[in-house]
Amino acid sequence: DVQLVESGGGSVQVAGSLRLSCAASGITYGSYCMGWFRQAPGKEREGVATFDSDGDTSYGDSVKGRFTVSLDSANNTLYLQMDNLRPEDTAMYYCAVRGGSWACLDYYNEMEYWGKGTQVTVS
């Protein structure tokens, strides 16, 4: 079974930084799109940053230049480095994966496996 376990969330001041981790296991896709999504109370879930098996990355417009997604393939861990955090970044952050390397940033409904999430609060 595929398991995704997020960690690294917490409370941080405006302009601070956090690094989220997603430890993945059981993934057997030959190609995939994996990424970070977030959902704030009362808002729709949205794509934050994705990394696919071709090595391509994509970012939501609101996080470009502030967030960086990376994959440690040796340890099967996806990271999200978040810098210059803003109050509007406050949300539950989820890691998710889907087979196939085509874009998934704007298609959270297509993601096949999800972690339980980690809360990020910026104030």
Side-chain angles (χ1 to χ4, degrees):
D1 291 349
V2 174
Q3 288 193 332
L4 303 173
V5 180
E6 303 97 335
S7 61
S11 296
V12 64
Q13 292 183 335
V14 172
S17 298
L18 282 174
R19 188 175 78 156
L20 305 183
S21 300
C22 173
S25 61
I27 294 178
T28 59
Y29 299 125
S31 62
Y32 59 85
C33 188
M34 190 172 183
W36 293 95
F37 299 79
R38 68 186 181 187
Q39 188 166 20
K43 294 189 176 180
E44 187 177 6
R45 191 165 295 192
E46 64 173 348
V48 177
T50 61
F51 189 107
D52 68 36
S53 51
D54 294 330
D56 295 325
T57 58
S58 294
Y59 295 91
D61 287 341
S62 64
V63 307
K64 284 180 182 176
R66 300 188 298 123
F67 290 11
T68 304
V69 64
S70 61
L71 178 68
D72 179 349
S73 56
N75 292 304
N76 297 320
T77 302
L78 186 73
Y79 296 101
L80 183 67
Q81 177 66 42
M82 305 187 295
D83 298 318
N84 192 20
L85 283 159
R86 304 168 180 170
E88 53 265 39
D89 295 317
T90 295
M92 184 70 80
Y93 283 69
Y94 298 91
C95 177
V97 66
R98 180 211 65 204
S101 61
W102 59 90
C104 62
L105 182 71
D106 297 322
Y107 305 102
Y108 68 85
N109 285 335
E110 295 182 0
M111 306 309 283
E112 295 172 310
Y113 296 97
W114 292 85
K116 293 182 178 181
T118 186
Q119 177 69 38
V120 171
T121 302
V122 185
S123 61

